[in-house]
DNA sequence: GGCGATTCTGCAACTAGTTGCAGAAGGATC
DNA sequence: GATCCTTCTGCAACTAGTTGCAGAATCGCC
């Protein structure tokens, strides 16, 4: 649903082949909209079909050969329209909150270890974000408008991870040593 | 993926028919794992098939007639195991953060109104949660273990909404009056 | 220059979630 | 007692996302 827009954004930031995109979806843009290489290849096909991107001319267009894509004006316009479009937030789906609720009914046996594991994962992700922030958005320099927007996005990621770290910490405290 | 567990939890809290479950998924348990009536009916069928729930005996088992389901011991055990199982957090997918990133590339025209709309929605959800908290978890009373876990879940919802309210407020400030 | 590992692209088949619609039951109204 | 509206259940068809695998190109190594 948002995948085509994610791909257009990524390609505008830098024209890429399918695999390059896949790698960039493992970090950077993928922090906020993840995708597998399969989804990406399929969507590249659709976007090309729709005339929103094109493969840079290459000698032999055969299977197994890398194709670099760039965004066409129609694709840029398509993305521009989406930025201002109305689209309701998707309802929350959190397996972890759900599990806690299940634990209230059938008991919290074994939950503690799992919460600790998630806590470690979220702490790691938070650290990763903080490194990126320090590298790309140093405190002193007040960047351009695009820079400030990108920083805002990263800030969102950071505060979301902080939320999870805090919630998990509180949950572990509440569970006590046995849970 | 988590839907069967959500349904088992809901049915353990109270045996219900498909439609009752659907209504409860529009609030309460559905705040953390939403589902449409279609998903619910299909999953009820599967769970019954698998011997984890059963329809309470009714005179005429025909189409169009309400069926009330209850959880069988196998279903309770199935849920209990899931509570302690290892399951990685799903990567984040936020269309809103993605859009902000797209705005950094193609401009933020029209985005402001959308952010304001989302802000209002998140504020409303937050208020809803706060009313529930006051009703079900008054400050003075320190509840039982299950109560405390349920409160923790609600707290998660509350703090997530607070996060969005704060992020959206910061984003609107950053965008300035034109965006 | 032949061989094996890796890179890059993609097909096929699957599960999860969504949307549109429709039929049966039962109550409300005249 | 016929008609209409609502409730409840469910089928069918769709879109989105995931998983497993496989073929072609390329690169490193001997």
């Amino acid at each position: 649903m948002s995948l085509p827009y994610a791909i257009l954004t990524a390609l505008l930031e830098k024209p890429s082949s399918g695999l390059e995109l896949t790698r960039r979806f493992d970090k950077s843009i993928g922090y906020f909209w993840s995708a597998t290489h399969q989804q990406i290849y399929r969507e590249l096909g659709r976007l090309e079909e729709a005339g929103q991107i094109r493969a840079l001319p290459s000698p032999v267009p055969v299977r197994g050969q890398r194709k670099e894509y760039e965004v066409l004006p129609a694709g840029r316009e398509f993305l521009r329209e989406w930025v201002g479009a109305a689209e309701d937030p998707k309802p929350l789906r959190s397996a972890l909150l759900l599990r806690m609720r299940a634990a209230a009914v059938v008991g919290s046996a074994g939950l503690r270890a799992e919460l600790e594991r998630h806590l470690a994962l979220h702490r790691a992700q938070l650290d990763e974000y903080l490194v990126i922030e320090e590298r790309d958005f140093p405190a002193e320099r007040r960047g351009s408008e695009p820079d400030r927007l990108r920083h805002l996005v990263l800030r969102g990621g950071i505060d979301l991870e902080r939320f999870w770290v805090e919630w998990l910490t509180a949950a572990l405290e509440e569970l006590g040593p046995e849970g």
Side-chain angles (χ1 to χ4, degrees), chain A:
Chain A
M1 232 220 351
S2 300
L3 182 58
Y5 306 109
I7 290 181
L8 287 173
T9 303
L11 284 181
L12 280 170
E13 288 174 357
K14 180 177 178 318
S16 306
S17 68
L19 194 67
E20 274 179 272
L21 275 179
T22 302
R23 296 211 199 299
R24 290 167 62 198
F25 269 78
D26 285 343
K27 50 183 185 14
S28 182
I29 193 127
Y31 289 143
F32 310 110
W33 199 273
S34 71
T36 64
H37 81 282
Q38 257 323 306
Q39 289 178 273
I40 290 170
Y41 280 116
R42 244 190 318 195
E43 199 61 43
L44 283 172
R46 285 179 197 154
L47 287 168
E48 188 177 20
E49 181 86 15
Q52 284 162 353
I53 63 174
R54 64 161 187 178
L56 293 184
S58 126
V60 249
V62 265
R63 185 189 163 108
Q65 197 140 18
R66 70 184 287 104
K67 263 195 286 187
E68 186 116 325
Y69 290 95
E70 70 174 1
V71 178
L72 294 172
R76 174 180 280 267
E77 181 56 21
F78 186 58
L79 183 61
R80 215 187 51 69
E81 270 163 27
W82 178 67
V83 166
E87 194 175 90
D88 283 341
K90 309 226 73 170
L92 174 62
R93 276 203 180 115
S94 164
L96 210 49
L97 292 177
L98 184 60
R99 276 216 267 185
M100 185 64 76
R101 177 117 174 200
V105 177
V106 296
S108 55
L111 187 51
R112 182 172 193 83
E114 183 64 355
L115 294 182
E116 273 163 358
R117 209 169 61 82
H118 280 239
L119 180 54
L121 290 171
H122 283 292
R123 273 203 228 275
Q125 184 66 58
L126 176 55
D127 286 348
E128 205 173 318
Y129 284 156
L130 289 175
V131 167
I132 294 174
E133 185 179 37
E134 195 161 333
R135 188 191 66 202
D136 294 355
F137 308 100
E140 61 282 5
R141 175 163 72 76
R142 182 151 177 81
S144 58
E145 156 105 359
D147 261 11
R148 293 201 317 272
L149 295 184
R150 267 190 285 267
H151 190 185
L152 208 50
V153 174
L154 183 58
R155 271 275 133 202
I158 289 173
D159 288 345
L160 265 177
E161 294 302 331
R162 277 207 226 280
F163 157 75
W164 281 113
V165 167
E166 278 164 30
W167 185 81
L168 284 163
T169 304
L172 282 165
E173 205 162 307
E174 188 62 61
L175 263 189
E178 65 300 325

